[in-house]
Amino acid sequence: MKKSINPLWGGRFENKSSNLLKKINNSIGFDYKLALQDIKLNLEYSKSLKKAKIITDPEYKKIKKALEEICKQINVGKYKFSEDFEDIHMNIEMSLKKKIGSLAGKIHTGKSRNDQVVTDLKLWTREKLGILVKDIIDIQKAIIKKAEINFSVIMPGFTHLQNAQPVLFAHYLLSLFEMLQRDKKRVRNLQENLNECPLGSGALVGTNFFEIDRFSLAKNLGFKKPSENSIDSVSDRDFVLDFLFIVSTLSMHLSRFAEDFIIWSSSSFDFLKFPDSLSTGSSIMPQKKNPDSAELIRAKTGRIFSSMINILIVLKGLPTGYSKDLQEDKEAIFDAYESIDIILKVTNEIIKLVKINKKAMLKSSFDGYSTATDLADWIVKNIGKTFRQAHEISGKIVLLAEKQKMKLHELDLKLMQSIEPKITKDVYTFLSPINSINQKKSYGGTASDRVKEALLRAKKKL
Ligand code: ARG
């Protein structure tokens, strides 16, 4: 027989692939990242083949040994992925063939690369979800530590990026903790839901009479059960979208945090300093120290979003069943993972190493009449006005203070009384940031006692 132009599918072809086809079609340049998953899959699938009596026990042992050797080579970086074979599945099968000859040709009995690739990718995704949980918890631990060390630090809380009301820096930090808590939940939900094994679905209609036990195969690969419908199984990439949405949201949270720190590190704010190890200089301005690490967290978030949109577009209107378009899922998910992996690690480092300027934060918390709401609340409580009336009075006092170029707590009692005569000097105890903070006693509020409790609860959540 004449040598086939392709060892996997060349039989019905008379002419070889063009170089252009190879360029557009080959995926080994990126799906080599599924090598270990593909080996695991082949190991378990061979077990199923043995159980189904398609291969004998000695044949299974040969295949197993050879696959384990290939695995070792990959792990020590000695395996050479070859562009002669279009994808990872073909690479592994051809390496197996090199080692054990035509026996390798049996491992594809009853399976298709369509159910194989989606199973590999599910295995990969499950593994990465585990790493994400770990990295999120590491950041949460860093947050708790930073919050404890800086527990007494007071800063202005912002709305519209204008000073709004004083807040404990620890309270601010715990807001990120909560965002991450939701992210972690989303990751864990996906871990829970990603439990159906597509292998055994064949190209799209299921496998022939080979009696592959899909239930034990699924279990051996770490899934709960086999997937329900073979057509759906080979075309389903919902888990890729779920993953991309989860990391999009996670990165969005980290980008907002990064943005806060970038702004606060500017000399105009001077709330905090990035360490040299996470900053870069300017090639022209000798004085500069830029928070590039945080800026790149912000930017990579956009890149992660684009992967999600990319896959939504690839899937939109795609005919049911496998189409080669689905091969594009991998670069998107790999790229998003690489981005989220680095930004999680950098975020952790930033939280640990950033130096807080307690004085500047406190000073700024006095600015912007940030206790005007406390003044209004005092008027409600002590003078018996409605909140709307008190709001008006407090607003007028702010205007007066602004004209006098004074902070609220610096304003003379007589001046305040010119607007509302019933105001007494007791009001001053509520106009300082720390007193303002400690009045915010509602559950989840910034009063020191509440934040102490929140820290305890946070620790229990880890
Ligand atoms: N490299 C392919 C992918 O990543 C494997 C599946 C190929 N299937 C096919 N029918 N050509 O999706």
Side-chain angles (χ1 to χ4, degrees):
M1 218 173 18
K2 212 173 118 221
K3 196 171 173 257
S4 180
I5 65 120
N6 183 295
L8 283 199
W9 45 255
R12 59 104 60 235
F13 283 74
E14 289 182 319
N15 299 309
K16 62 180 180 78
S17 309
S18 76
N19 284 338
L20 264 184
L21 175 87
K22 281 186 191 157
K23 241 184 170 166
I24 192 167
N25 188 49
N26 278 16
S27 54
I28 188 62
F30 48 87
D31 65 15
Y32 71 90
K33 290 186 178 164
L34 297 177
L36 295 180
Q37 286 77 11
D38 206 63
I39 286 178
K40 180 174 173 165
L41 180 149
N42 277 314
L43 276 170
E44 295 307 334
Y45 193 72
S46 306
K47 231 184 246 168
S48 298
L49 290 174
K50 183 179 76 167
K51 208 172 156 195
K53 301 202 165 47
I54 292 153
I55 56 173
T56 62
D57 192 49
E59 284 178 329
Y60 166 71
K61 283 186 178 133
K62 260 193 190 167
I63 292 171
K64 182 169 180 275
K65 187 169 164 268
L67 282 172
E68 283 168 353
E69 280 167 16
I70 297 170
C71 187
K72 227 184 234 159
Q73 271 180 301
I74 293 171
N75 280 329
V76 296
K78 286 226 167 96
Y79 184 84
K80 266 187 89 97
F81 297 99
S82 166
E83 283 287 341
D84 291 343
F85 309 120
E86 62 187 63
D87 58 23
I88 185 61
H89 323 295
M90 213 161 153
N91 265 264
I92 301 288
E93 192 177 318
M94 288 305 109
S95 303
L96 198 61
K97 192 174 171 195
K98 245 191 195 164
K99 286 183 181 290
I100 60 173
S102 63
L103 171 59
K106 288 194 178 182
I107 64 159
H108 211 56
T109 316
K111 78 168 153 60
S112 152
R113 280 183 297 162
N114 297 356
D115 57 350
Q116 186 167 348
V117 71
V118 66
T119 307
D120 280 355
L121 194 56
K122 277 193 173 184
L123 290 172
W124 180 92
T125 307
R126 286 169 65 116
E127 182 193 308
K128 299 306 178 206
L129 288 172
I131 301 174
L132 284 185
V133 169
K134 213 190 126 294
D135 282 352
I136 291 175
I137 292 175
D138 282 350
I139 297 184
Q140 288 183 308
K141 282 185 186 158
I143 287 174
I144 290 177
K145 213 167 175 192
K146 196 80 173 179
E148 283 178 339
I149 294 170
N150 295 283
F151 191 79
S152 62
V153 174
I154 291 169
M155 64 178 289
F158 299 96
T159 61
H160 312 267
L161 199 53
Q162 311 288 321
N163 281 22
Q165 293 184 284
V167 72
L168 286 184
F169 176 59
H171 194 56
Y172 162 80
L173 281 176
L174 285 176
S175 72
L176 179 62
F177 182 98
E178 286 306 314
M179 294 176 217
L180 292 173
Q181 191 64 12
R182 292 194 295 276
D183 291 318
K184 198 167 65 186
K185 236 185 215 160
R186 270 186 282 270
V187 175
R188 285 187 167 144
N189 283 343
L190 183 56
Q191 278 180 315
E192 192 55 37
N193 292 337
L194 224 166
N195 58 15
E196 294 191 357
C197 179
L199 197 60
S201 299
L204 78 161
V205 292
T207 61
N208 256 335
F209 36 68
F210 295 117
E211 293 188 30
I212 298 293
D213 175 2
R214 291 196 64 207
F215 284 87
S216 65
L217 180 58
K219 287 252 156 67
N220 293 343
L221 281 168
F223 295 95
K224 275 200 184 131
K225 60 188 280 296
S227 54
E228 286 292 320
N229 177 290
S230 59
I231 301 175
D232 174 50
S233 305
V234 294
S235 41
D236 166 34
R237 293 297 185 274
D238 293 4
F239 69 99
V240 174
L241 279 176
D242 287 341
F243 182 89
L244 291 173
F245 177 74
I246 290 168
V247 297
S248 289
T249 310
L250 170 58
S251 64
M252 175 271 289
H253 289 147
L254 300 179
S255 79
R256 296 180 70 173
F257 162 78
E259 174 67 355
D260 285 340
F261 272 30
I262 291 165
I263 294 173
W264 297 346
S265 72
S266 74
S267 49
S268 311
F269 273 82
D270 199 25
F271 283 6
L272 48 86
K273 270 201 173 37
F274 278 76
D276 283 4
S277 59
L278 293 172
S279 310
T280 67
S282 155
S283 57
I284 176 169
M285 297 169 281
Q287 84 284 11
K288 290 284 289 217
K289 225 175 97 179
N290 300 322
D292 299 37
S293 49
E295 290 167 59
L296 287 163
I297 291 174
R298 211 169 47 183
K300 283 189 186 295
T301 298
R303 188 163 158 166
I304 292 173
F305 292 1
S306 76
S307 289
M308 186 179 74
I309 302 295
N310 173 354
I311 297 309
L312 277 171
I313 295 171
V314 166
L315 295 176
K316 179 192 169 294
L318 197 68
T320 305
Y322 179 86
S323 299
K324 204 54 174 274
D325 310 47
L326 291 172
Q327 178 167 284
E328 293 278 311
D329 58 358
K330 283 171 278 302
E331 274 178 296
I333 198 169
F334 293 161
D335 190 76
Y337 177 71
E338 243 166 64
S339 297
I340 196 70
D341 184 53
I342 183 77
I343 72 181
L344 279 165
K345 291 182 167 104
V346 172
T347 301
N348 191 329
E349 194 94 339
I350 289 176
I351 293 173
K352 280 186 186 146
L353 299 181
V354 123
K355 281 237 156 3
I356 304 305
N357 184 348
K358 187 174 173 174
K359 261 194 191 155
M361 282 189 172
L362 179 66
K363 186 169 172 290
S364 175
S365 71
F366 281 94
D367 293 341
Y369 310 100
S370 62
T371 53
T373 313
D374 299 284
L375 173 57
D377 287 343
W378 185 92
I379 293 167
V380 169
K381 195 167 172 225
N382 296 286
I383 309 184
K385 301 274 185 194
T386 67
F387 181 74
R388 212 31 73 216
Q389 291 164 336
H391 188 288
E392 175 80 10
I393 295 166
S394 176
K396 285 198 166 123
I397 294 174
V398 166
L399 191 63
L400 189 69
E402 202 173 43
K403 284 186 178 152
Q404 301 283 326
K405 296 199 170 36
M406 280 179 170
K407 308 242 154 83
L408 265 187
H409 68 283
E410 292 166 351
L411 203 63
D412 197 73
L413 182 62
K414 286 214 180 74
L415 281 175
M416 283 204 212
Q417 286 169 337
S418 70
I419 290 171
E420 172 47 62
K422 289 191 182 149
I423 292 178
T424 65
K425 71 172 187 329
D426 171 62
V427 78
Y428 289 98
T429 36
F430 293 86
L431 297 183
S432 78
I434 185 61
N435 288 337
S436 162
I437 281 171
N438 284 332
Q439 295 309 315
K440 304 301 177 295
K441 293 177 186 153
S442 58
Y443 184 86
T446 192
S448 304
D449 289 347
R450 292 293 95 85
V451 177
K452 262 181 209 148
E453 292 160 11
L455 271 168
L456 286 177
R457 287 200 300 276
K459 279 184 187 167
K460 279 193 194 139
K461 286 178 192 165
L462 292 180

